């Protein structure tokens, strides 16, 4: 005989809420656009998860900055002359959560974060210079300087990722997000559709030929998370902390996304980062292993893509060969050199304080016969020149401080760490951090949302790994002391 248990008040309440919510969303689906209904359902869940597991809130920021969710599905709030975007709203929420979680004294004054605070100060100075000295429009100024606020993700991650389990959840979340971004990039490539709001989807053009049947599909700044995930998955497989049955398809999909981006700077800098990772992890043997794996992975990935689009082999070779002709006026390097010439003229007039945020450094011009874009008067590909222009010489020094300190302290942590997981994570972050450092010569990573987000979270991960390793080292020392005491025959109580 079946026995029925009388429902309690909590069960009745939850069931009633579920029924009401279902009916409400059903009615809204009839009246409102589908994407708006989906946004109303997904975003509250994401915010709830962020409140319960703040480290996943950081992953949500990466999702939103990378453009994985369509802009139509993400809310924004009007704030003065601009709007708070969805990822900025999440950052405000995480800041509030972090304020209640700061328990450890000196947590936010660690050495890792010092250059971050310096660049935030330089961003403030650049705002004053742009507004007072150069007469920038408030809307243009806020559009640029708000991106520097993303550096706050570094201290946020130090506060929100408080233990090894939280760090693992964050990394697993990044792996999943990177895989989804890679799938989106490949779908863009195969079907010539735009999925990522920050992506470029266009016919591939080189200096020698235009390929109307081959699509160039990019992930914007999210490409660096894909590279980080490739590195961390590969190291995990090498040390058997991640199943190779999971790593192989994961890496192949992400490698495919990197290939179809057709970014020569990305290819070269990733290779350099991979060699550095091999050296830091396995020394000389690692460099040889990485070289072999790179060849095998490249051939396998291009071969797999060629089964669907056979011309990709020819295109990839042409893309590499066309590098020798860069520097012509119509080449991508030629455009960057033209930007640099204008930048040097502006810097020669104000080399110390720069021209500030929201200020044009070059005249209005058309790009390849397209309509003139007023935003291009302030846009510059070379990040280092861009930082110097907008934040002055102190801003440039702050950026160089961030790069040098992160690489040096990350390298040091990868050698002195007691915990093997922290040691390998530090090596992976250093190798991954190197990639955008190199491409910043030709890409505005220090001035773009995705780039600043990546740099800030990489610094935060290293700071967290350093803290966790210190805890592990103190535990090891405690165990050694206990063993020495027991071997001496002295009881801890009697020793007092």
């Amino acid at each position: 005989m079946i026995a029925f248990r009388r429902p309690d008040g909590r069960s009745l309440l939850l069931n009633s809420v579920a029924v009401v919510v279902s009916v409400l969303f059903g009615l809204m689906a009839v009246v409102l656009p589908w994407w708006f209904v989906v946004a109303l359902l997904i975003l509250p869940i994401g915010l709830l998860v962020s409140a319960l597991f703040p480290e996943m809130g950081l992953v949500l920021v990466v999702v939103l900055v990378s453009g994985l969710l369509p802009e139509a599905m993400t809310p924004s709030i009007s704030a003065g002359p601009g709007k708070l975007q969805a990822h900025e709203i999440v950052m405000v929420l995480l800041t509030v959560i972090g304020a209640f979680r700061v328990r450890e004294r000196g947590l936010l004054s660690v050495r890792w974060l010092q250059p971050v605070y310096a660049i935030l100060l330089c961003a403030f100075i650049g705002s004053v210079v742009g507004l007072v000295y150069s007469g920038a429009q408030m809307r243009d100024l806020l559009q640029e300087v708000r991106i520097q606020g993303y550096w706050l993700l570094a201290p946020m991650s130090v506060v929100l990722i408080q233990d090894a389990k939280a760090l693992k959840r964050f990394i697993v979340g990044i792996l999943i997000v990177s895989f989804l971004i890679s799938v989106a990039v490949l779908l863009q490539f195969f079907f010539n559709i735009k999925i990522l709001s920050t992506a470029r989807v266009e016919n591939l053009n080189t200096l020698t030929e235009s390929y109307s049947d081959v699509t160039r599909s990019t992930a914007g700044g999210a490409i660096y998370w894909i590279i980080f995930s490739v590195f961390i998955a590969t190291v995990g497989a090498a040390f058997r902390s991640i199943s190779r049955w999971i790593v192989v398809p994961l890496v192949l999909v992400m490698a495919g996304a990197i290939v179809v981006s057709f970014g020569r700077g990305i290819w070269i800098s990733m290779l350099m980062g991979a060699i550095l990772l091999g050296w830091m992890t396995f020394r000389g043997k690692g460099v040889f292993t990485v070289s072999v794996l790179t060849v095998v992975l490249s051939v396998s990935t291009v071969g797999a893509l060629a089964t669907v689009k056979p011309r990709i082999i020819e295109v990839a070779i042409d893309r590499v060969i066309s590098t020798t002709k860069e520097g012509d006026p119509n080449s991508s390097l030629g455009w960057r050199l033209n930007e640099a010439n204008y930048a040097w003229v502006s810097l020669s007039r104000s080399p110390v304080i720069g021209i500030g945020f929201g200020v044009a450094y070059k005249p209005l011009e058309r790009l390849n016969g397209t309509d003139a874009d007023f935003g291009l008067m302030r846009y510059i590909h070379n990040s280092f020149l861009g930082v110097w222009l907008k934040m002055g010489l102190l801003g440039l020094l702050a950026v160089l401080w961030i790069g040098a300190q992160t690489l040096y302290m990350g390298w040091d942590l990868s050698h002195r760490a007691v915990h093997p997981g922290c040691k390998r994570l530090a090596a992976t972050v250093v190798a991954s951090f190197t990639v955008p450092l190199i491409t910043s010569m030709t890409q505005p990573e220090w001035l773009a949302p995705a780039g600043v987000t990546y740099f800030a979270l990489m610094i935060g991960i290293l700071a967290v790994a350093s803290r966790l390793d210190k805890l592990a080292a103190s535990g090891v020392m405690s165990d050694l002391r206990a063993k020495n005491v027991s071997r001496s025959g002295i009881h801890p109580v009697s020793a007092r």
Side-chain angles (χ1 to χ4, degrees), residues 25-40:
F25 275 95
L27 293 174
M28 286 193 300
V30 178
V31 180
L32 300 174
W34 68 270
W35 50 264
F36 190 80
V37 178
V38 172
L40 287 177

Side-chain angles (χ1 to χ4, degrees), residues 274-471:
I275 292 173
L276 177 62
L277 179 61
W279 173 260
M280 294 178 68
T281 309
F282 299 105
R283 295 291 183 259
K285 180 182 177 182
V287 174
F288 174 77
T289 304
V290 165
S291 302
V292 174
L293 284 176
T294 300
V295 173
V296 173
L297 183 61
S298 301
V299 172
S300 302
T301 304
V302 173
L305 293 171
T307 59
V308 180
K309 290 199 174 184
R311 290 197 72 191
I312 192 172
I313 298 176
E314 174 190 349
V315 172
I317 295 174
D318 189 17
R319 186 70 175 160
V320 174
I321 293 175
S322 65
T323 306
T324 59
K325 298 182 180 180
E326 285 290 349
D328 295 343
N330 292 326
S331 67
S332 59
L333 181 58
W335 301 331
R336 288 161 170 79
L337 292 175
N338 184 49
E339 292 175 348
N341 290 333
Y342 282 119
W344 283 118
V345 172
S346 295
L347 286 171
S348 65
R349 298 170 185 161
S350 180
V352 178
I353 63 174
I355 61 175
F357 286 101
V359 181
Y361 74 97
K362 67 175 184 176
L364 185 65
E365 57 185 8
R366 297 177 184 273
L367 185 64
N368 287 346
T370 60
D371 293 337
D373 187 349
F374 287 93
L376 292 177
M377 299 169 66
R378 295 181 281 114
Y379 181 88
I380 184 169
H381 283 86
N382 188 311
S383 283
F384 301 107
L385 281 178
V387 169
W388 192 353
L389 276 171
K390 299 176 188 300
M391 290 186 272
L393 191 58
L394 289 178
L396 178 61
L397 292 176
V399 161
L400 297 177
W401 183 12
I402 288 175
Q405 176 172 290
T406 303
L407 293 181
Y408 171 75
M409 293 182 65
W411 178 282
D412 182 61
L413 180 61
S414 70
H415 284 74
R416 66 171 172 78
V418 174
H419 193 284
C422 294
K423 185 189 291 284
R424 294 194 291 268
L425 180 60
T428 304
V429 171
V430 168
S432 305
F433 197 89
T434 303
V435 177
L437 273 184
I438 298 172
T439 59
S440 290
M441 295 294 296
T442 57
Q443 296 295 335
E445 308 305 353
W446 296 91
L447 301 169
V452 175
T453 299
Y454 183 82
F455 284 131
L457 288 176
M458 288 290 105
I459 294 171
I461 291 173
L462 281 175
V464 171
S466 178
R467 186 181 74 230
L468 294 177
D469 183 67
K470 288 180 181 178
L471 293 174

Side-chain angles (χ1 to χ4, degrees), residues 131-403:
L131 191 63
V132 178
Y133 178 74
S134 302
Q137 296 293 320
M138 181 61 72
R139 188 180 185 89
D140 294 337
L141 186 148
L142 290 178
Q143 183 181 5
E144 292 185 359
V145 76
R146 67 194 296 175
I147 296 170
Q148 299 306 310
Y150 299 178
W151 285 108
L152 292 172
L153 287 167
M156 273 188 214
S157 55
V158 173
V159 173
L160 299 177
I161 305 177
Q162 294 194 338
D163 53 39
K165 290 182 179 180
L167 180 59
K168 183 177 180 180
R169 283 194 295 266
F170 173 78
I171 292 175
V172 170
I174 290 297
L175 283 170
I176 295 172
V177 170
S178 299
F179 177 76
L180 294 176
I181 294 172
S182 300
V183 171
V185 170
L186 290 174
L187 290 175
Q188 291 176 158
F189 170 73
F190 288 123
F191 300 105
N192 196 21
I193 57 174
K194 186 172 182 178
I195 299 175
L196 301 173
S197 59
T198 58
R200 286 174 58 189
V201 183
E202 58 193 12
N203 292 335
L204 179 65
N205 296 308
T206 65
L207 289 175
T208 57
E209 190 173 348
S210 177
Y211 297 91
S212 59
D213 58 336
V214 177
T215 302
R216 182 184 184 187
S217 172
T218 70
I223 193 73
Y224 300 116
W225 289 113
I226 297 175
I227 293 171
F228 170 74
S229 297
V230 169
F231 286 174
I232 205 163
T234 304
V235 171
F239 288 92
R240 301 184 183 278
S241 58
I242 306 177
S243 171
R244 295 181 182 179
W245 293 104
I246 297 175
V247 169
V248 171
L250 192 72
V251 169
L252 280 175
V253 170
M254 291 190 288
I258 294 169
V259 169
V260 301
S261 69
F262 294 104
R264 292 163 297 187
I266 291 292
W267 292 349
I268 295 170
S269 57
M270 181 181 175
L271 176 60
M272 296 173 68
I275 292 173
L276 177 62
L277 179 61
W279 173 260
M280 294 178 68
T281 309
F282 299 105
R283 295 291 183 259
K285 180 182 177 182
V287 174
F288 174 77
T289 304
V290 165
S291 302
V292 174
L293 284 176
T294 300
V295 173
V296 173
L297 183 61
S298 301
V299 172
S300 302
T301 304
V302 173
L305 293 171
T307 59
V308 180
K309 290 199 174 184
R311 290 197 72 191
I312 192 172
I313 298 176
E314 174 190 349
V315 172
I317 295 174
D318 189 17
R319 186 70 175 160
V320 174
I321 293 175
S322 65
T323 306
T324 59
K325 298 182 180 180
E326 285 290 349
D328 295 343
N330 292 326
S331 67
S332 59
L333 181 58
W335 301 331
R336 288 161 170 79
L337 292 175
N338 184 49
E339 292 175 348
N341 290 333
Y342 282 119
W344 283 118
V345 172
S346 295
L347 286 171
S348 65
R349 298 170 185 161
S350 180
V352 178
I353 63 174
I355 61 175
F357 286 101
V359 181
Y361 74 97
K362 67 175 184 176
L364 185 65
E365 57 185 8
R366 297 177 184 273
L367 185 64
N368 287 346
T370 60
D371 293 337
D373 187 349
F374 287 93
L376 292 177
M377 299 169 66
R378 295 181 281 114
Y379 181 88
I380 184 169
H381 283 86
N382 188 311
S383 283
F384 301 107
L385 281 178
V387 169
W388 192 353
L389 276 171
K390 299 176 188 300
M391 290 186 272
L393 191 58
L394 289 178
L396 178 61
L397 292 176
V399 161
L400 297 177
W401 183 12
I402 288 175

Side-chain angles (χ1 to χ4, degrees), residues 53-59 61 87-102 107-108 110 113 116-117 120 148-162 166 170 453 456-457 459-461 463-464 467:
F53 303 99
E55 66 279 357
M56 300 311 294
L58 297 172
V59 176
V61 170
H87 54 274
E88 294 168 336
I89 297 173
V90 176
M91 288 173 61
V92 171
L93 172 66
L94 293 177
T95 302
V96 174
I97 295 173
F100 289 97
R101 291 171 66 95
V102 180
L107 190 63
L108 295 179
V110 293
L113 300 178
V116 172
Y117 300 143
L120 287 171
Q148 299 306 310
Y150 299 178
W151 285 108
L152 292 172
L153 287 167
M156 273 188 214
S157 55
V158 173
V159 173
L160 299 177
I161 305 177
Q162 294 194 338
F170 173 78
T453 299
L457 288 176
I459 294 171
I461 291 173
V464 171
R467 186 181 74 230

